[in-house]
Amino acid sequence: MAQIRIKNVAKRFGAYQALHSINLDVADQEFMVLLGASGCGKTTLLRIIAGLETPSEGEVWIGDRRVDHLAPRDRGIAMVFQNYAVFPHLTVFENIAFGLRMAKMDNALVTKRVERTAELMHIEQLLKRYSGELSGGQRQRVAVARALAMEPDVILMDEPLSNLDALLRLEMRAELKGVLAESKTTAIYVTHDQVEAMSLADRISVMHQGRIVQAASPIEVYRNPAARFVASFIGNPPMNFLPATSHGNGQWSVAGQTFNGPATQKPLEFAIRPEDLSPADQGLKATARVVEPLGAHLLVTCDVEGASFRAVLDSDLTVRPGDILTLAPQPDRIRWFDPETTQAVA
Amino acid sequence: MTAVTPDVAHADVRKSGRFLFRAAIVFLCAWVLVPIYFLLINTLSSPETVNAFPKSFIPEFDMGSLTFFANFAGMLTALKNSVIVACLTMVLSIAFGAPAGYALSRFDFRGKELFRVLILLTRAFPLPLLALPLAVLFIRTGLDDTLLGLALVHTTLAIPFAVLITFSLFSGIPIELEEAAWTLGCTRFTAFTKVVLPLIAPGIAASAIFAFVISWNEVFAAAVLTIQNRTLPAFLLQSLGTSPLHLKFAGGFILVVPALVFIFAVRKYLFAMWGIANR
Ligand SMILES: Nc1ncnc2c1ncn2[C@@H]1O[C@H](COP(=O)(O)OP(=O)(O)OP(=O)(O)O)[C@@H](O)[C@H]1O
Ligand SMILES: [Mg+2]
């Protein structure tokens, strides 16, 4: 059993606060993805769990042990580093075998384990090479294989596929998910690629400026963003926002149109995903600015009362810049945010 | 037609620039090599040729002077002393310098920059200034005229370089390599021996050799602090003052050659070190 529990963890680097009171529970065998923009503290959090960084405050639990005071080697973890950290003086084989040899594993077993993991990562033909003779993507796969070979309770991966080409990344992604599900490993996986996050995660934790803004299943994060940041970060393109004013009784006026919304008097923000808009007789008046045909869809960037607004429309439609569209939002997909607290309002 | 002239002028400038560059290189090489060459010729000449004029540029391979040294009383003991002191210096300066270099590159502590400057500043004290108090201190502690005492003095001379060289070596090794080793089951110590050490071993060897050379070449402290147990330079300094010219040449040659060979072996790391010291 290797659930991970992070309680009120904060991290300060001098005057700079990289992490603010993080609380996170990762269930046994869960695949948790940490998603966030560059510099939001993903690596720092991972390093705290691994024991490479000491938290300024808070507790870290793995299984039913508190591990803050334990050395990395005593935590039952393996880690894939953002910059690979493949040992340059060892061959690929010895790199993958390093942890097994430290654990004094039997030689025949080591060979078997290394070969199997190498095969999984498609690097079996590179086993005799040194890291100086590998490409970035190959080095990255060695780093992943080295961690996988340990068969740890918990595996921590810091953007392990960032350097692979699109096709290989797709393949490795599926491979990793399969292997980790089979080996019953608890995984924390850092990425800033939201497609990767969506496809791999049991749950996604969206991080922003050293805080976890939302931790939920991928579809929940996508459909019901808990905060404005999540809505503006997830989705390609992300959600549209428009200011809304209350008429009372849950009636809201948005760009001259009336919508049903929460029963509050405070000014709110109206939000809708670009793909939840369709042309209709009744709806938001939008002036098309840029039209981008994407094959399956038509991405139209428009102007609604001076605010930029995107719609993903059927590619059969003909839209020219300057056209005035009437776009109807799908009513059950409309979300509301409080501009003061930036939190979602139901 | 008009386009041709500037091209020619350019080519001329470039050609003369290249000529100047080459001339400078030749001059600098000659500056260093010619004296050494004369030293070699005179070492391998019979006493008569040494004192004769004009000089021949071809050595006559007369081993007389060198054989004399080989049979000179005390010579071998001095040589042995030199080697012992240099080896002690080598071991001590790495044993103390390498951990300091590691700490400088891996840990943040208050006054780190100041500490780095202070390390360099230890070389600012002229040895003659320190020699007298040191001699007094050594006599009091019983370290006077011992090889260990001399090695200690040489170690203080060599340590700044050992620290700076190893600092640059450790800094060249990403901390993530060590961290990766820690997560793969290493302690701080095993990570050091299994990952860091193999990567810096050649550099450590070079900095050890450099410490050896510093000790080997040092003559002032050796002459002041020892009487019976003289090292080779101190011994030669003492004996050669009154010797004939051809023996002076041979003695000089014996001193210069090992140092040259060692320095040549570690030249790559010396450049790296100067880069660090000037930063
Ligand atoms: N050792 C350190 N000293 C000072 N500041 C640090 C240190 N490590 C990280 N930081 C700061 O903490 C913040 C979070 O860094 P972190 O490496 O966790 O970001 P990240 O989310 O992993 O970003 P990326 O996606 O670019 O890898 C950054 O602003 C960074 O500058
Ligand atoms: Mg990072």
Side-chain angles (χ1 to χ4, degrees):
Chain A
M1 291 293 279
Q3 70 275 25
I4 301 167
R5 166 160 293 182
I6 294 158
K7 282 190 199 165
N8 291 319
V9 163
K11 178 68 189 178
R12 282 177 291 273
F13 292 111
Y16 179 76
Q17 182 132 19
L19 294 177
H20 301 264
S21 182
I22 299 272
N23 282 291
L24 184 67
D25 279 316
V26 184
D28 185 36
Q29 300 180 31
E30 188 175 22
F31 199 119
M32 171 65 87
V33 170
L34 294 182
L35 180 63
S38 188
C40 69
K42 305 182 295 292
T43 298
T44 306
L45 181 55
L46 217 58
R47 288 171 56 85
I48 286 177
I49 299 171
L52 300 172
E53 207 88 67
T54 38
S56 311
E57 283 166 33
E59 304 172 8
V60 180
W61 293 68
I62 297 178
D64 36 25
R65 284 190 308 164
R66 183 168 172 188
V67 296
D68 318 5
H69 57 283
L70 294 184
R73 63 198 286 262
D74 299 322
R75 297 189 178 202
I77 53 125
M79 178 155 171
V80 181
F81 288 74
Q82 189 164 8
N83 51 3
Y84 327 140
V86 173
F87 303 129
H89 63 298
L90 299 177
T91 60
V92 168
F93 184 99
E94 285 304 324
N95 260 284
I96 302 176
F98 190 91
L100 308 176
R101 296 220 193 278
M102 286 310 298
K104 306 240 180 320
M105 188 189 261
D106 183 68
N107 234 333
L109 236 69
V110 169
T111 309
K112 225 163 85 191
R113 181 86 70 88
V114 170
E115 278 168 0
R116 203 182 50 198
T117 347
E119 215 167 294
L120 216 65
M121 300 297 351
H122 300 310
I123 46 174
E124 66 271 24
Q125 72 286 5
L126 304 176
L127 286 175
K128 290 203 176 62
R129 297 222 202 144
Y130 287 89
S131 90
E133 307 161 341
L134 301 176
S135 75
Q138 290 168 335
R139 236 171 272 173
Q140 197 159 34
R141 280 179 283 161
V142 174
V144 176
R146 186 174 64 186
L148 284 180
M150 296 291 286
E151 298 189 351
D153 296 336
V154 174
I155 188 163
L156 308 169
M157 290 176 278
D158 201 346
E159 308 195 17
L161 306 181
S162 62
N163 227 322
L164 306 185
D165 63 62
L167 208 66
L168 193 58
R169 191 192 300 208
L170 217 67
E171 197 177 332
M172 292 285 127
R173 203 160 82 190
E175 204 91 75
L176 259 185
K177 189 167 185 172
V179 174
L180 291 177
E182 199 178 315
S183 64
K184 307 194 186 316
T185 309
T186 309
I188 300 188
Y189 185 106
V190 167
T191 180
H192 43 221
D193 178 341
Q194 36 171 306
V195 180
E196 202 167 280
M198 290 279 169
S199 76
L200 283 173
D202 292 327
R203 275 196 305 151
I204 296 180
S205 295
V206 183
M207 289 186 68
H208 180 48
Q209 295 179 347
R211 291 192 168 81
I212 291 185
V213 196
Q214 185 172 16
S217 69
I219 194 67
E220 177 75 6
V221 168
Y222 188 77
R223 282 286 170 239
N224 298 314
R228 194 184 192 278
F229 171 77
V230 182
S232 64
F233 186 71
I234 306 254
N236 186 21
M239 272 187 145
N240 294 303
F241 298 95
L242 288 174
T245 44
S246 172
H247 289 324
N249 298 333
Q251 296 290 301
W252 294 83
S253 163
V254 179
Q257 293 290 309
T258 307
F259 294 95
N260 284 326
T264 157
Q265 295 297 323
K266 291 206 290 184
L268 292 182
E269 259 186 317
F270 163 98
I272 186 77
R273 290 221 171 266
E275 59 270 29
D276 295 333
L277 293 161
S278 49
D281 302 333
Q282 274 270 315
L284 303 162
K285 296 275 177 289
T287 317
R289 288 265 169 269
V290 184
V291 180
E292 297 164 75
L294 301 177
H297 305 286
L298 198 63
L299 174 60
V300 186
T301 306
C302 352
D303 213 282
V304 175
E305 292 207 328
S308 172
F309 199 84
R310 290 201 193 87
V312 173
L313 304 177
D314 196 290
S315 53
D316 286 343
L317 285 171
T318 329
V319 183
R320 268 181 228 92
D323 286 0
I324 296 187
L325 306 168
T326 308
L327 299 171
Q330 198 176 318
D332 60 330
R333 295 279 168 86
I334 297 172
R335 297 292 175 265
W336 303 88
F337 293 96
D338 184 337
E340 243 171 61
T341 63
T342 75
Q343 298 299 301
V345 181
Chain B
M1 287 293 277
T2 44
V4 176
T5 354
D7 263 7
V8 171
H10 259 279
D12 270 357
V13 169
R14 220 170 338 163
K15 220 186 272 173
S16 50
R18 213 159 24 196
F19 175 75
L20 260 178
F21 182 64
R22 288 201 184 137
I25 289 177
V26 169
F27 176 75
L28 283 176
C29 289
W31 179 276
V32 175
L33 290 179
V34 167
I36 293 177
Y37 185 67
F38 274 121
L39 193 60
L40 175 76
I41 291 179
N42 284 321
T43 303
L44 297 176
S45 299
S46 55
E48 299 77 51
T49 345
V50 171
N51 291 315
F53 199 85
K55 296 267 168 220
S56 149
F57 280 92
I58 302 138
E60 49 183 333
F61 296 104
D62 180 304
M63 293 296 167
S65 311
L66 287 178
T67 333
F68 172 79
F69 268 105
N71 300 327
F72 192 35
M75 176 79 189
L76 279 181
T77 329
L79 184 67
K80 194 187 78 194
N81 287 344
S82 250
V83 170
I84 291 176
V85 171
C87 284
L88 272 175
T89 304
M90 185 165 91
V91 170
L92 286 173
S93 62
I94 291 301
F96 290 105
Y102 184 82
L104 270 179
S105 91
R106 287 297 191 247
F107 303 118
D108 269 324
F109 51 89
R110 212 193 279 209
K112 184 166 152 172
E113 290 306 308
L114 183 70
F115 182 64
R116 252 178 61 184
V117 174
L118 282 179
I119 287 174
L120 274 181
L121 272 185
T122 55
R123 296 307 314 255
F125 291 100
L127 200 53
L129 205 68
L130 295 176
L132 197 61
L134 261 182
V136 173
L137 198 69
F138 272 27
I139 289 170
R140 268 199 215 139
T141 49
L143 275 173
D144 60 306
D145 204 10
T146 63
L147 296 182
L148 177 65
L150 188 55
L152 284 178
V153 175
H154 287 177
T155 302
T156 60
L157 296 177
I159 266 192
F161 297 103
V163 173
L164 288 177
I165 297 179
T166 52
F167 164 67
S168 81
L169 290 171
F170 288 125
S171 300
I173 293 174
I175 179 83
E176 282 85 359
L177 289 184
E178 276 180 84
E179 291 177 338
W182 299 342
T183 64
L184 291 167
C186 286
T187 60
R188 249 184 191 275
F189 181 73
T190 49
F192 183 82
T193 56
K194 286 201 180 298
V195 175
V196 180
L197 216 49
L199 288 172
I200 60 158
I204 290 276
S207 108
I209 289 179
F210 191 61
F212 188 97
V213 172
I214 287 181
S215 164
W216 180 274
N217 283 345
E218 202 286 324
V219 58
F220 190 86
V224 173
L225 296 176
T226 57
I227 300 159
Q228 299 296 318
N229 291 313
R230 295 232 135 157
T231 60
L232 192 59
F235 177 75
L236 287 177
L237 186 74
Q238 175 193 32
S239 332
L240 289 183
T242 50
S243 308
L245 194 57
H246 65 278
L247 290 183
K248 283 184 179 161
F249 274 120
F253 186 74
I254 292 169
L255 279 179
V256 164
V257 165
L260 275 183
V261 169
F262 286 137
I263 294 279
F264 188 76
V266 300
R267 64 197 180 284
K268 190 172 118 200
Y269 294 94
L270 289 185
F271 291 135
M273 184 186 69
W274 282 324
I276 298 286
N278 289 335
R279 200 158 62 191

